[in-house]
Amino acid sequence: MAVRIGSRNTPVPFEWHDAATWKAALDGMRAAYLCYSPDLAFPGVPELMGRFAGAAADAGVQRLVLLSGRGEDGARAAEDAVRACGLEWTVLRCSWFAQNFSEHFLLGPVRRGRLLLPGDGAVAEPFLDLDDFADVASDALTGESHVGQVLELTGPRLLTLREVAR
Ligand SMILES: NC(=O)c1ccc[n+]([C@@H]2O[C@H](COP(=O)([O-])OP(=O)(O)OC[C@H]3O[C@@H](n4cnc5c(N)ncnc54)[C@H](OP(=O)(O)O)[C@@H]3O)[C@@H](O)[C@H]2O)c1
């Protein structure tokens, strides 16, 4: 199965805010996995998702799989835009990724020994391992059992922010 990665630094560059890059990124693809950065809840993103879904349909894409945030009410309008696109769709609503601490924006604070997080430390989150998420995302892209579903994905247990910091 042919896979094309699309971001600002890939051989076929893809930029969310430059629609001229979309066609080449979508060309020949049957399904697309959508990860909007920095945040699906930002103003204008639902409209952007609607335009992108239209471009995907024009390019012959049959299915969209959208990464979204669990408990993020602000992301719902962007989810709705993808769900209304007329293509097959799956929404993957994820809790916080464990890899935020080891590969992403919290790695620097971890290394410096000081984590500033919302809440009083007793707040708990079912952190999700990205390898587990990738299994579900690839099923959604290639299988038939998740079409038309919103899946709430979490890790297997709650960890308080204090436990995570420790
Ligand atoms: N992190 C979490 O715990 C978490 C949990 C649930 C949901 N989410 C959702 O995941 C989404 C992304 O968040 P993230 O922090 O995990 O990912 P991220 O690392 O911020 O972004 C993922 C990729 O997007 C590419 N990218 C960034 N800006 C782009 C642009 N303008 N056009 C094209 N590609 C772009 C980047 O590659 P290049 O630099 O090569 O372009 C990057 O590798 C958000 O919608 C967020 O709500 C995150």
Side-chain angles (χ1 to χ4, degrees):
M1 183 178 303
V3 174
R4 179 181 300 134
I5 301 173
S7 81
R8 296 165 299 182
N9 298 293
T10 45
V12 179
F14 173 81
E15 160 62 71
W16 277 113
H17 300 285
D18 180 2
T21 65
W22 298 356
K23 190 168 185 298
L26 291 166
D27 185 42
M29 294 292 111
R30 189 189 65 80
Y33 166 72
L34 312 184
C35 169
Y36 180 80
S37 181
D39 199 307
L40 217 50
F42 274 21
V45 176
E47 295 79 5
L48 179 64
M49 287 295 147
R51 290 195 299 280
F52 179 81
D58 290 346
V61 172
Q62 294 164 33
R63 180 178 300 181
L64 300 179
V65 175
L66 175 69
L67 167 62
S68 183
R70 185 168 166 271
E72 277 192 59
D73 289 343
R76 298 297 167 258
E79 292 180 3
D80 290 345
V82 169
R83 295 169 67 174
C85 71
L87 302 177
E88 296 175 347
W89 59 267
T90 304
V91 172
L92 303 176
R93 277 185 199 156
C94 297
S95 55
W96 267 36
F97 298 136
Q99 281 81 356
N100 289 342
F101 298 94
S102 55
E103 300 176 24
H104 200 2
F105 68 107
L106 292 171
L107 177 58
V110 166
R111 284 191 168 139
R112 289 190 291 276
R114 188 173 172 83
L115 276 171
L116 293 176
L117 297 165
D120 61 3
V123 172
E125 172 72 3
F127 290 92
L128 176 62
D129 189 293
L130 275 170
D131 285 341
D132 294 336
F133 169 69
D135 288 344
V136 179
S138 62
D139 273 357
L141 285 163
T142 59
E144 297 307 318
S145 53
H146 298 317
V147 173
Q149 290 186 342
V150 177
L151 300 180
E152 300 246 350
L153 304 176
T154 72
R157 66 188 172 115
L158 287 169
L159 288 174
T160 66
L161 299 181
R162 190 169 290 116
E163 286 171 323
V164 166
R166 193 159 48 232

